[in-house]
Amino acid sequence: MIRVLLVDDQPLIRSGFRALLDAEDDIEVVAEAANGREGLEQARKHAPDIALIDVQMPEVDGIEATRHIAADPSLASTHVVILTNYGLDEYVFHALKAGAAGFLVKDVQPEDFLHAVRVAARGDALLAPSITRRLIDRYVSQPLKPSTSLTQLTNREREAVVLVARGLSNDEIAASMVISPLTAKTHVNRAMTKLHARDRAQLVVIAYESGLVVPHTSERG
C-alpha cells in the first residue's frame, strides 16, 4: 500500500486529489495539511511513502518543507513530489535541489497523476526527458564550477549517472549499457550513495552542476 500525504492550501485541490487516490486499491491518503508547517507535522507523524506538496503556501512554503523532510533521517523513505500550477515556475529547480523527487503540474490528467504517484513510490524521479531538458535550459545551462567530486565513481557508474541525467529509466540504461536491469539499478544506487544523492532527481542535479553532463543545443526540445 502506497501511503500519501497531501499538502496544499487549497481545499478543492486536496479533495480532488484525495478522491482520485482513495479510489485506488493500492493507494491510501493518510493525512492532509493546509500549509508547510502542518505538512511537516503530519509527515513526522505518519512517515508517508509520498508527500505531495504545493510550492506556494502560507507559514512554511513547499521548498522549505521539502528541505526539512529531506534532512530528517526518520523520513528517509518519504519521497516528496512538488505540485505546481506551471510546468516550470521559478521554484521547481530549487525544490529539486532541496530534495524533491520530482514535480507534477496540477492540471495533469488523472491517469498520469496516479502513474506518477506509483513511479515516485518506486523511488524513480518524476523527470521526463523533455522536462529535464527544459530544466537544464532554464536553470543549469550557464557555466558552473564543479561542485561535486566524481572521482570516486567507477567508469560504469559515471556512465549510468549520465544516462539518468538524460531521463532514462533503469531498463533503458540497461539496454544502452548492454547490462541487466538489476546491474543498471546497482550502478545507479551506488552512484547515489557515493554522491550522497537522496534520489534520482538529485542525481540529475549533481550531474549537471558538476559538469559531468553539459547541455548542448541538440538536446533541447
Side-chain angles (χ1 to χ4, degrees), residues 58-70:
E59 297 193 40
V60 176
D61 66 24
I63 295 173
E64 190 62 23
T66 298
R67 188 174 291 113
H68 282 289
I69 289 174

PDB file of all heavy atoms in Angstrom, residues 58-70:
ATOM      1  N   PRO A  58       1.174  29.347   2.847  1.00  0.00           N
ATOM      2  CA  PRO A  58       1.461  30.219   3.986  1.00  0.00           C
ATOM      3  C   PRO A  58       2.312  29.526   5.047  1.00  0.00           C
ATOM      4  O   PRO A  58       2.419  28.301   5.062  1.00  0.00           O
ATOM      5  CB  PRO A  58       0.070  30.543   4.533  1.00  0.00           C
ATOM      6  CG  PRO A  58      -0.781  29.389   4.094  1.00  0.00           C
ATOM      7  CD  PRO A  58      -0.241  28.965   2.759  1.00  0.00           C
ATOM      8  N   GLU A  59       2.932  30.329   5.897  1.00  0.00           N
ATOM      9  CA  GLU A  59       3.730  29.891   7.055  1.00  0.00           C
ATOM     10  C   GLU A  59       5.056  29.242   6.624  1.00  0.00           C
ATOM     11  O   GLU A  59       6.114  29.793   6.835  1.00  0.00           O
ATOM     12  CB  GLU A  59       2.929  28.969   7.978  1.00  0.00           C
ATOM     13  CG  GLU A  59       1.719  29.645   8.589  1.00  0.00           C
ATOM     14  CD  GLU A  59       1.122  28.845   9.707  1.00  0.00           C
ATOM     15  OE1 GLU A  59       1.871  28.265  10.512  1.00  0.00           O
ATOM     16  OE2 GLU A  59      -0.117  28.798   9.782  1.00  0.00           O
ATOM     17  N   VAL A  60       4.989  28.063   6.048  1.00  0.00           N
ATOM     18  CA  VAL A  60       6.184  27.388   5.533  1.00  0.00           C
ATOM     19  C   VAL A  60       5.883  26.955   4.105  1.00  0.00           C
ATOM     20  O   VAL A  60       4.919  26.230   3.869  1.00  0.00           O
ATOM     21  CB  VAL A  60       6.561  26.156   6.389  1.00  0.00           C
ATOM     22  CG1 VAL A  60       7.747  25.426   5.777  1.00  0.00           C
ATOM     23  CG2 VAL A  60       6.878  26.570   7.826  1.00  0.00           C
ATOM     24  N   ASP A  61       6.702  27.412   3.149  1.00  0.00           N
ATOM     25  CA  ASP A  61       6.407  27.061   1.753  1.00  0.00           C
ATOM     26  C   ASP A  61       6.877  25.649   1.424  1.00  0.00           C
ATOM     27  O   ASP A  61       7.510  24.971   2.241  1.00  0.00           O
ATOM     28  CB  ASP A  61       6.992  28.095   0.789  1.00  0.00           C
ATOM     29  CG  ASP A  61       8.524  28.126   0.784  1.00  0.00           C
ATOM     30  OD1 ASP A  61       9.158  27.124   1.139  1.00  0.00           O
ATOM     31  OD2 ASP A  61       9.086  29.178   0.424  1.00  0.00           O
ATOM     32  N   GLY A  62       6.556  25.215   0.211  1.00  0.00           N
ATOM     33  CA  GLY A  62       6.851  23.849  -0.174  1.00  0.00           C
ATOM     34  C   GLY A  62       8.331  23.533  -0.242  1.00  0.00           C
ATOM     35  O   GLY A  62       8.752  22.412   0.061  1.00  0.00           O
ATOM     36  N   ILE A  63       9.137  24.507  -0.635  1.00  0.00           N
ATOM     37  CA  ILE A  63      10.579  24.277  -0.732  1.00  0.00           C
ATOM     38  C   ILE A  63      11.180  24.059   0.648  1.00  0.00           C
ATOM     39  O   ILE A  63      11.968  23.133   0.864  1.00  0.00           O
ATOM     40  CB  ILE A  63      11.270  25.456  -1.441  1.00  0.00           C
ATOM     41  CG1 ILE A  63      10.799  25.539  -2.890  1.00  0.00           C
ATOM     42  CG2 ILE A  63      12.786  25.297  -1.398  1.00  0.00           C
ATOM     43  CD1 ILE A  63      11.295  26.755  -3.625  1.00  0.00           C
ATOM     44  N   GLU A  64      10.796  24.901   1.591  1.00  0.00           N
ATOM     45  CA  GLU A  64      11.327  24.756   2.951  1.00  0.00           C
ATOM     46  C   GLU A  64      10.837  23.456   3.583  1.00  0.00           C
ATOM     47  O   GLU A  64      11.596  22.760   4.270  1.00  0.00           O
ATOM     48  CB  GLU A  64      10.909  25.954   3.805  1.00  0.00           C
ATOM     49  CG  GLU A  64      11.610  26.030   5.154  1.00  0.00           C
ATOM     50  CD  GLU A  64      13.119  26.187   5.035  1.00  0.00           C
ATOM     51  OE1 GLU A  64      13.606  26.670   3.994  1.00  0.00           O
ATOM     52  OE2 GLU A  64      13.821  25.796   5.994  1.00  0.00           O
ATOM     53  N   ALA A  65       9.577  23.112   3.349  1.00  0.00           N
ATOM     54  CA  ALA A  65       9.050  21.848   3.876  1.00  0.00           C
ATOM     55  C   ALA A  65       9.811  20.670   3.293  1.00  0.00           C
ATOM     56  O   ALA A  65      10.164  19.715   4.005  1.00  0.00           O
ATOM     57  CB  ALA A  65       7.558  21.734   3.549  1.00  0.00           C
ATOM     58  N   THR A  66      10.082  20.734   1.993  1.00  0.00           N
ATOM     59  CA  THR A  66      10.857  19.676   1.335  1.00  0.00           C
ATOM     60  C   THR A  66      12.240  19.556   1.938  1.00  0.00           C
ATOM     61  O   THR A  66      12.738  18.454   2.195  1.00  0.00           O
ATOM     62  CB  THR A  66      10.973  19.972  -0.178  1.00  0.00           C
ATOM     63  OG1 THR A  66       9.666  19.984  -0.754  1.00  0.00           O
ATOM     64  CG2 THR A  66      11.830  18.928  -0.875  1.00  0.00           C
ATOM     65  N   ARG A  67      12.884  20.678   2.167  1.00  0.00           N
ATOM     66  CA  ARG A  67      14.226  20.686   2.741  1.00  0.00           C
ATOM     67  C   ARG A  67      14.237  20.011   4.115  1.00  0.00           C
ATOM     68  O   ARG A  67      15.139  19.222   4.429  1.00  0.00           O
ATOM     69  CB  ARG A  67      14.739  22.122   2.834  1.00  0.00           C
ATOM     70  CG  ARG A  67      16.197  22.235   3.245  1.00  0.00           C
ATOM     71  CD  ARG A  67      16.678  23.669   3.163  1.00  0.00           C
ATOM     72  NE  ARG A  67      16.753  24.136   1.779  1.00  0.00           N
ATOM     73  CZ  ARG A  67      15.982  25.079   1.258  1.00  0.00           C
ATOM     74  NH1 ARG A  67      15.064  25.686   2.006  1.00  0.00           N
ATOM     75  NH2 ARG A  67      16.123  25.433  -0.001  1.00  0.00           N
ATOM     76  N   HIS A  68      13.243  20.293   4.925  1.00  0.00           N
ATOM     77  CA  HIS A  68      13.163  19.696   6.262  1.00  0.00           C
ATOM     78  C   HIS A  68      12.917  18.191   6.180  1.00  0.00           C
ATOM     79  O   HIS A  68      13.507  17.409   6.939  1.00  0.00           O
ATOM     80  CB  HIS A  68      12.063  20.367   7.082  1.00  0.00           C
ATOM     81  CG  HIS A  68      12.445  21.702   7.639  1.00  0.00           C
ATOM     82  ND1 HIS A  68      13.362  21.855   8.666  1.00  0.00           N
ATOM     83  CD2 HIS A  68      12.047  22.948   7.303  1.00  0.00           C
ATOM     84  CE1 HIS A  68      13.502  23.136   8.950  1.00  0.00           C
ATOM     85  NE2 HIS A  68      12.724  23.827   8.128  1.00  0.00           N
ATOM     86  N   ILE A  69      12.037  17.790   5.281  1.00  0.00           N
ATOM     87  CA  ILE A  69      11.755  16.359   5.126  1.00  0.00           C
ATOM     88  C   ILE A  69      12.994  15.613   4.651  1.00  0.00           C
ATOM     89  O   ILE A  69      13.345  14.552   5.172  1.00  0.00           O
ATOM     90  CB  ILE A  69      10.578  16.155   4.142  1.00  0.00           C
ATOM     91  CG1 ILE A  69       9.272  16.619   4.789  1.00  0.00           C
ATOM     92  CG2 ILE A  69      10.475  14.681   3.717  1.00  0.00           C
ATOM     93  CD1 ILE A  69       8.075  16.603   3.846  1.00  0.00           C
ATOM     94  N   ALA A  70      13.684  16.187   3.665  1.00  0.00           N
ATOM     95  CA  ALA A  70      14.879  15.538   3.119  1.00  0.00           C
ATOM     96  C   ALA A  70      15.990  15.432   4.159  1.00  0.00           C
ATOM     97  O   ALA A  70      16.815  14.510   4.094  1.00  0.00           O
ATOM     98  CB  ALA A  70      15.377  16.306   1.900  1.00  0.00           C
TER      99      ALA A  70
END
